[in-house]
Amino acid sequence: MNLKKKHDVNISVIQLDPSEIKAEILLSAEDGGLPDIIIIPSDFLGMHKLMKLYPIPQRWYRENLTPTVRDTVKLQGSYWGIPLIQGNFLLLYYNKKYVQHPATDFNDIILAKNQFIKKKYYANGVELQ
């Protein structure tokens, strides 16, 4: 289908090297040159403010998406993307000495991060003074 003829819309597709995607998106957001649609890994969700993303309206979600799948793109009560592919199995390891209740969603991770910073626990597990 020719979208230009039918809808008067031009579409251009740019594929970036995976190692450059994050930097390109952040630079584009800073310069005000973001595309209308981007396909990125869901682990970029934590940078939604830096990337200047807008929440996705609830009505855009199809009924056949399970709550578990929807939750992969949900943060602070809003959906920040539409899941296209499932299966990027990222793992979160934690030290039981410092974590009594493992995180089950991004909100838990953010809360834990803030608590760790207050206690001067940092990502490498070393206390900085």
Side-chain angles (χ1 to χ4, degrees):
M1 167 166 62
N2 185 331
L3 288 172
K4 174 68 177 158
K5 275 186 183 175
K6 190 169 183 175
H7 301 286
D8 195 30
V9 173
N10 284 319
I11 294 179
S12 80
V13 177
I14 299 170
Q15 184 172 347
L16 300 172
D17 183 284
S19 65
E20 298 172 357
I21 292 173
K22 191 181 295 184
E24 287 291 331
I25 292 169
L26 292 174
L27 288 171
S28 295
E30 190 175 299
D31 294 338
L34 284 171
D36 295 321
I37 296 174
I38 53 175
I39 298 175
I40 55 174
S42 61
D43 49 324
F44 285 21
L45 178 65
M47 298 184 304
H48 68 280
K49 288 181 184 174
L50 291 173
M51 294 168 52
K52 299 182 181 171
L53 298 179
Y54 290 95
I56 302 294
Q58 178 71 31
R59 68 181 185 279
W60 287 16
Y61 283 90
R62 297 178 64 185
E63 291 178 22
N64 61 354
L65 283 179
T66 66
T68 303
V69 172
R70 283 190 208 168
D71 284 348
T72 64
V73 292
K74 186 176 184 180
L75 181 64
Q76 300 167 340
S78 294
Y79 295 101
W80 297 95
I82 298 175
L84 299 176
I85 300 170
Q86 289 297 114
N88 184 6
F89 299 105
L90 300 175
L91 303 175
L92 174 65
Y93 293 96
Y94 62 97
N95 186 329
K96 290 182 181 181
K97 179 178 174 183
Y98 301 108
V99 178
Q100 284 74 41
H101 305 286
T104 58
D105 60 29
F106 282 104
N107 289 325
D108 288 350
I109 292 171
I110 291 169
L111 289 173
K113 179 197 88 163
N114 294 335
Q115 292 169 0
F116 291 151
I117 289 172
K118 286 178 187 173
K119 294 178 182 179
K120 296 185 180 178
Y121 297 149
Y122 295 93
N124 60 7
V126 175
E127 183 174 349
L128 303 176
Q129 308 239 359

